[in-house]
Amino acid sequence: MRLGVLADLDGSLGLTALQRPLRTAGYRVEPARDRRSVMGVAGVLRMLARTVPDTPFHYLSASPRVALPYIRRAMRNDGYPPGRLEHARTARQVWRGEARWFKRDVLDETLRSDPERRWVLLGDDGDHDPPLFAAAARRFPDQVAAIAIRNLAEPDHALGERMRRRAGEVPVITAGTGEELMPELVDVLGLQDPDTPIVLDWFLTAAERGNEATAQQTWTEGNAVEALVHGREYFAALHREVAEAGPGDAIMFGGWRADVDELLRDDGPAGARALADAVRRGASVQGLLWRSHHPAVGFSSVQNRRFAREVNAAGGEVVLDQRVRPTGSHHQKFVVVRHGGGAARDVAFVGGLDVARSRRDGAEHTGDTQTRAFAAVYGPTPPWHDAQLRVQGPAVRDVEEVFRERWQDPAPLTLAPWRAARDRKHGLGRENGLPTAAPAPPAAGSCTVQLLRTYPRRTPAYPFAPHGERSVARAYAKALNRARRLIYVEDQYLWSSDVARVFATALQRSPELCLIAVVPRYPDQESPIRVPSAGMGQSAAMEMVRDAGGERVQVLDLENEAGTPIYIHAKLCIVDDVWAAVGSANLSRRSWTHDSELVAAVLDDERDPREPRDPGGRGDEARRFARELRLSLLREHLGRAEGDDADLLDPDDVLATVRDAAGAM
């Protein structure tokens, strides 16, 4: 089939509000990338460009010439394939309501220009697209291959029925997001994705990341990745690395919270003391801690300041970073250790764990003896479940680049002059430059790693993400779009309807797909501020997912041997035993749009030989890291011994096993 695509950009780029300010007041004023953080329409078009390489793309906008720089920049940021852009010539033409006829004329001219080519018409219901496209399909039924409408203003089933009546025999697809449109469009057009390297099927391309300003690599190969489940395991590994740092070595870290007295081992030292000792031995130590909200509302500004002051008193340089959106936070949690005497020893840690009170729990989940204020339902020493990755290889340099980009941001660390004065008084400013960046470490293992981030739009803009970055959300959308048999999730929240919709879409598309989600029994109990709407939000998200998957969905919480609920703070996801992601980003809209986040996605080149070897049935084959991480977590939660997992391998078996275990309780 000789295919062409004609896409109306006004809804997907949020331009309708600019053209119809009275009609659309309060409706849409920002690009769709900010309203719904997944890949959207641009992802659909990239799929078509990849599947049918010679497809021409024509874009329509009723915006006048003066808006062209904005349109082209937004298209570039969202990764639209190159193509011809047709736009209204003057603002007068737009404001007099003549843009509708301009679009009709462009449609007719395009469809007449090449009678042998069949066109996909793609738009939304925010303006005139449905009647314009339906009329074009009646006039040119042989030239229109399909109509795809993203519904924004009304239910898609109602829109779809009306469109199908108007469009005659031309197939019509309606859905709420690009991810939902994509598989139906593939079926209607009879397309098949071409053979591509598996990494392109699971990882974001540079264009799909949507951030040209970053120096971040798209992904790196040849990494050794180890999952450190629980704070005790991570803190012990962190202590070993920090204790060996000396002259010529560099330690860089970012965190949301840090307690000056939190021990790394039972016999010490505390994390701040370990870093200070490394400075005294000659290592360079620099850190970015979120400044945090005022302690009166239950946050950790006092603790973070004390931590920074202790390290800085020894000659380190830890700053309090408030370069965030209002009410936002720096939620990234990572540590990088670079060795001047040998890059092969370099290591990075990425995940959901800060060096903070309550985090140093173990597999028995008796809790951290160094506790803090917490909901009474979790007992005097709240059991805590979490995970961090230990990475060696070229990806270490990528984690370092995350730190360097934030550190070199020229914006003031705080806009409040009294806070800046206090920082200077206590030596909490950026006085020194960073150590010279060393080359990436050599290959160390079999894993390909992609770093994913969330940065919001901010004023002043982040130099490394001037329009923000949504690669966490986009990567989840891409991976779940490929899911066929099993999604395993552990998450602190899973309560946003925007996030739940991505999971629900995957469940609706794949009738054999199962979802196992492990969440806290009592959500958001870490904060001393109790927000009843949090539980309501989680319930609404769960209802959406259960409606889509029915009995294929299992949502569970954990408790220890004493019957005390375990607080789930992990943020991880495993899809079809192929793609695994661990990081700081929760499955919530805040983590996908508003706070800074860091996630490491892992695709192991080493296949797992156990049956089923290809659970997704796509030829991707189960991967050692993803499968072993899922099995180790399930063995722990089910009280199993090492190797006791024969009934946890097949997705159908694991769903039944987990359901039976929960029922037995």
Side-chain angles (χ1 to χ4, degrees):
M1 178 192 305
R2 297 183 67 238
L3 195 66
V5 176
L6 195 151
D8 191 325
L9 296 176
D10 290 341
S12 59
L13 295 183
L15 298 169
T16 306
L18 302 177
Q19 301 154 10
R20 301 286 187 272
L22 298 180
R23 181 190 303 177
T24 59
Y27 176 46
R28 297 194 304 274
V29 295
E30 289 186 316
R33 183 166 56 95
D34 287 329
R35 296 194 312 275
R36 188 179 300 281
S37 53
V38 296
M39 286 181 285
V41 170
V44 178
L45 301 185
R46 288 193 299 272
M47 178 274 295
L48 291 173
R50 187 178 72 246
T51 308
V52 188
D54 295 328
T55 299
F57 290 86
H58 290 206
Y59 299 106
L60 271 176
S61 175
S63 297
R65 189 187 307 274
V66 68
L68 279 182
Y70 169 84
I71 296 173
R72 295 191 189 282
R73 184 173 66 249
M75 291 176 66
R76 185 169 60 252
N77 291 338
D78 278 3
Y80 281 79
R84 178 178 176 180
L85 175 60
E86 298 281 0
H87 60 91
R89 301 304 173 192
T90 65
R92 182 182 180 188
Q93 186 179 18
V94 175
W95 285 81
R96 289 177 60 183
E98 298 174 5
R100 178 177 183 177
W101 314 121
F102 151 74
K103 289 185 177 182
R104 183 198 61 186
D105 293 344
V106 172
L107 271 169
D108 287 0
E109 180 183 345
T110 302
L111 295 174
R112 286 195 190 100
S113 64
D114 189 349
E116 301 301 319
R117 190 179 298 277
R118 303 189 68 205
W119 293 81
V120 175
L121 308 183
L122 193 151
D124 62 75
D125 65 347
D127 206 348
H128 303 301
D129 293 350
L132 281 173
F133 288 177
R138 291 195 302 271
R139 292 194 301 274
F140 303 94
D142 295 332
Q143 275 70 59
V144 180
I147 296 173
I149 298 291
R150 192 167 58 98
N151 65 300
L152 304 172
E154 62 176 312
D156 60 341
H157 62 273
L159 175 65
E161 290 177 6
R162 189 169 69 254
M163 284 288 294
R164 278 183 278 274
R165 288 197 299 269
R166 293 181 177 180
E169 299 298 320
V170 173
V172 175
I173 303 164
T174 59
T177 67
E179 278 69 29
E180 294 167 281
L181 288 172
M182 189 183 300
E184 293 192 54
L185 192 57
V186 168
D187 291 342
V188 164
L189 298 176
L191 302 177
Q192 291 184 342
D193 263 350
D195 292 334
T196 57
I198 185 174
V199 69
L200 292 176
D201 291 328
W202 289 95
F203 280 179
L204 298 178
T205 64
E208 288 169 340
R209 182 183 290 273
N211 179 13
E212 293 181 342
T214 182
Q216 198 75 54
Q217 295 189 81
T218 309
W219 58 72
T220 59
E221 300 175 344
N223 300 285
V225 182
E226 177 187 5
L228 305 175
V229 181
H230 311 306
R232 279 187 170 274
E233 188 174 355
Y234 166 50
F235 286 5
L238 178 61
H239 174 261
R240 288 192 295 270
E241 299 296 338
V242 172
E244 294 177 1
D249 299 339
I251 301 173
M252 291 160 271
F253 68 91
W256 181 81
R257 178 184 176 118
D259 286 303
V260 70
D261 59 345
E262 176 65 13
L263 300 176
L264 298 181
R265 301 181 309 181
D266 289 338
D267 57 351
R273 174 65 180 274
L275 290 171
D277 287 345
V279 175
R280 296 184 185 100
R281 291 191 301 270
S284 165
V285 175
Q286 293 171 297
L288 291 162
L289 286 177
W290 177 43
R291 178 174 292 277
S292 191
H293 301 316
H294 195 277
V297 292
F299 286 90
S300 55
S301 61
V302 172
Q303 291 82 359
N304 291 359
R305 186 178 302 111
R306 288 173 178 167
F307 190 99
R309 289 176 64 180
E310 171 143 346
V311 178
N312 292 358
E317 195 170 20
V318 180
V319 302
L320 302 180
D321 187 358
Q322 191 63 7
R323 293 170 294 182
V324 297
R325 291 193 70 167
T327 75
S329 75
H330 282 303
H331 198 241
Q332 296 173 341
K333 305 150 193 285
F334 63 89
V335 180
V336 179
V337 183
R338 300 296 305 265
H339 294 278
R345 297 167 54 208
D346 293 348
V347 65
F349 299 96
V350 177
L353 279 158
D354 283 309
V355 179
R357 281 176 167 261
S358 293
R359 270 65 167 177
R360 198 168 65 91
D361 196 3
E364 298 79 13
H365 290 302
T366 56
D368 186 346
T369 56
Q370 292 180 278
T371 189
R372 63 180 183 82
F374 213 79
V377 291
Y378 287 99
T381 56
W384 189 283
H385 178 71
D386 220 326
Q388 200 90 349
L389 296 183
R390 182 182 188 273
V391 181
Q392 286 190 287
V396 172
R397 180 65 182 82
D398 268 9
V399 183
E400 179 184 347
E401 187 60 39
V402 173
F403 180 87
R404 287 180 176 272
E405 286 185 336
R406 279 184 54 192
W407 185 273
Q408 293 167 346
D409 180 355
L413 293 169
T414 175
L415 297 178
W418 60 92
R419 294 195 181 106
R422 183 166 57 183
D423 286 354
R424 287 193 296 270
K425 177 182 177 181
H426 294 293
L428 300 182
R430 289 175 296 172
E431 303 297 333
N432 302 318
L434 292 171
T436 302
S446 60
C447 292
T448 302
V449 173
Q450 181 169 65
L451 293 187
L452 310 166
R453 306 178 306 181
T454 298
Y455 288 116
R457 287 186 168 199
R458 191 202 70 181
T459 302
Y462 293 113
F464 49 86
H467 306 288
E469 182 174 319
R470 303 287 186 272
S471 55
V472 172
R474 293 179 173 203
Y476 266 86
K478 185 168 185 174
L480 296 186
N481 188 52
R482 195 164 179 83
R484 288 298 176 268
R485 294 298 306 283
L486 179 61
I487 303 170
Y488 179 83
V489 167
E490 293 185 358
D491 196 73
Q492 182 183 3
Y493 291 127
L494 189 54
W495 69 26
S496 164
S497 59
D498 283 337
V499 174
R501 185 164 191 163
V502 179
F503 285 84
T505 299
L507 290 162
Q508 290 168 339
R509 183 188 60 251
S510 302
E512 295 184 337
L513 182 62
C514 303
L515 169 65
I516 298 175
V518 181
V519 299
R521 183 176 302 174
Y522 305 100
D524 205 31
Q525 299 298 305
E526 182 188 1
S527 170
I529 301 176
R530 301 291 171 253
V531 184
S533 61
M536 296 172 60
Q538 188 181 66
S539 297
M542 295 300 179
E543 183 178 355
M544 181 185 296
V545 174
R546 287 193 176 104
D547 286 347
E551 293 185 354
R552 294 178 287 138
V553 175
Q554 290 286 302
V555 182
L556 309 162
D557 61 74
L558 304 176
E559 61 183 36
N560 63 15
E561 292 296 327
T564 305
I566 298 171
Y567 190 69
I568 310 300
H569 193 261
K571 304 99 169 48
L572 62 88
C573 180
I574 303 161
V575 179
D576 285 344
D577 285 351
V578 178
W579 182 88
V582 179
S584 66
N586 293 297
L587 295 174
S588 67
R589 183 169 183 175
R590 183 184 185 94
S591 282
W592 280 17
T593 63
H594 200 74
D595 293 339
S596 73
E597 303 285 4
L598 180 63
V599 173
V602 181
L603 184 64
D604 196 345
D605 290 341
E606 184 178 339
R607 273 64 168 176
D608 189 284
R610 292 169 288 187
E611 295 292 345
R613 295 195 176 196
D614 186 24
R618 287 178 168 270
D620 297 336
E621 300 182 80
R623 304 304 171 109
R624 180 194 58 80
F625 177 83
R627 174 168 278 178
E628 189 50 46
L629 176 58
R630 178 179 68 82
L631 293 177
S632 66
L633 292 166
L634 283 172
R635 286 195 301 264
E636 177 193 320
H637 301 335
L638 296 171
R640 302 282 190 87
E642 181 79 21
D644 184 9
D645 46 29
D647 56 348
L648 301 177
L649 288 164
D650 187 273
D652 292 335
D653 292 343
V654 69
L655 192 71
T657 299
V658 169
R659 183 185 294 117
D660 291 346
M665 295 180 66

